[in-house]
Amino acid sequence: MIEVVAPGPYATVQDLGRPGFAHLGVPCSGAADAPALKLANRLVGNAEWPAGIELTFGGARLRFADAAWVAVTGAPLEVRAAGASGVRPGMGAPFWVPAGAELIFGMPGTGLRTYVAVRGGIAVEPVLGSRSTDSLSGLGPPPLRAGDTLPVGGADGLITVDQAPLPGPRPAVLRVVPGPRDDWFAGGALEVLCGRPYEVSQDSNRVGVRLHGPELARAREGELPSEGMVTGAVQVPPSGQPIVFLADHPPTGGYPVIAVVLDADLPVAAQLRPGDRVRFTLAQGLARPAGP
């Protein structure tokens, strides 16, 4: 059992989500930076799918009633162990936390979301096959609060890795392909999107990264009937300011999608923090021809 002494600014339980229910209006949800959670799970001998804890801006304190193997990945931060002399926790490597010890997480210097995996996984009650907290629909466990206790499941796998290289800081560049509704925008709108950087808004969350920057003008009036949305869709409301959909995005939406971020760059989007600057670029080989 793990006690949440302090959750930090925002902490949730996340696994790889609940895909396959979009036709029922249920978002997929899951870890915003899925590769980081998968790596943390592998480091403690889990499969990739068990639930862990997603910390936003760190700042959490977790007390372990029972001894456990733990790994921390994602946005880099300092981790200290109170009540456990000789334990030196760190990023990207499994470490042993004795019973009664408390892990204290600092604030990340770069990035936004840090992942804590425990051998056996966080075993809260699943909803529609997933233990993920969905901030949009409210499915799954609520965001973590001080005093919450989290059960830990049983473990079958073996720990076979002492340390894994963590991805270094990546340029804040998101590769995109033209979206299904890029024809709703004025000529050259994709070039505008990719021409200058955007700044991440304070209003960003697990639903989407809201951006401020060059306005994307429309060529058509009115709105679309709601249609299916995917993670990474760059949706543009009437303000002309783009929103990059993340894990908790709605399954449908009525604003036109000018572009879609490549799956490989979704972890970059998930780690953007308010005030960061980010650029878009058309994926190589998929730029539109210059014309006749």
Side-chain angles (χ1 to χ4, degrees):
M1 193 73 71
I2 300 171
E3 178 189 354
V4 180
V5 179
Y10 186 73
T12 57
V13 174
Q14 299 293 339
D15 54 21
L16 299 183
R18 46 183 68 85
F21 296 99
H23 65 294
L24 300 176
V26 177
C28 180
S29 192
D33 185 347
L37 175 62
K38 291 177 180 179
L39 176 58
N41 270 321
R42 292 199 302 270
L43 284 168
V44 293
N46 293 340
E48 293 184 336
W49 52 263
I53 300 172
E54 180 182 276
L55 304 179
T56 303
F57 278 125
R61 299 177 65 146
L62 305 174
R63 181 177 295 124
F64 288 72
D66 305 295
W69 284 98
V70 177
V72 182
T73 59
L77 44 66
E78 180 186 12
V79 188
R80 295 187 292 114
S85 60
V87 176
R88 295 185 177 181
M91 303 286 297
F95 57 90
W96 178 252
V97 180
E102 183 177 314
L103 291 183
I104 303 171
F105 298 84
M107 307 290 283
T110 60
L112 180 62
R113 295 180 170 96
T114 301
Y115 293 84
V116 183
V118 182
R119 181 167 167 78
I122 302 298
V124 296
E125 192 68 25
V127 178
L128 293 179
S130 170
R131 295 179 167 90
S132 285
T133 299
D134 185 338
S135 64
L136 183 66
S137 71
L139 290 174
L144 298 180
R145 298 174 297 177
D148 285 349
T149 54
L150 302 173
V152 175
D156 296 324
L158 299 174
I159 295 177
T160 59
V161 179
D162 290 332
Q163 187 170 8
L166 295 178
R170 294 175 61 181
V173 176
L174 301 177
R175 294 169 293 172
V176 297
V177 295
R181 300 298 181 183
D182 63 329
D183 58 341
W184 272 61
F185 296 89
L190 272 173
E191 287 73 15
V192 173
L193 177 72
C194 299
R196 287 164 43 195
Y198 285 81
E199 183 173 313
V200 178
S201 164
Q202 294 280 350
D203 297 327
S204 299
N205 52 30
R206 281 181 45 86
V207 175
V209 181
R210 294 178 177 271
L211 301 171
H212 292 309
E215 182 177 340
L216 302 173
R218 291 197 192 173
R220 300 190 187 188
E221 299 292 333
E223 298 299 340
L224 288 159
S226 288
E227 57 187 2
M229 292 289 149
V230 298
T231 307
V234 183
Q235 194 184 56
V236 184
S239 66
Q241 300 298 301
I243 303 168
V244 180
F245 276 164
L246 295 182
D248 287 355
H249 71 84
T252 62
Y255 296 140
V257 173
I258 189 172
V260 179
V261 176
L262 297 187
D263 284 352
D265 288 353
L266 291 177
V268 177
Q271 293 293 356
L272 291 171
R273 55 202 291 175
D276 281 352
R277 292 164 70 84
V278 60
R279 284 184 174 273
F280 295 92
T281 183
L282 278 175
Q284 187 174 4
L286 295 172
R288 297 202 180 281

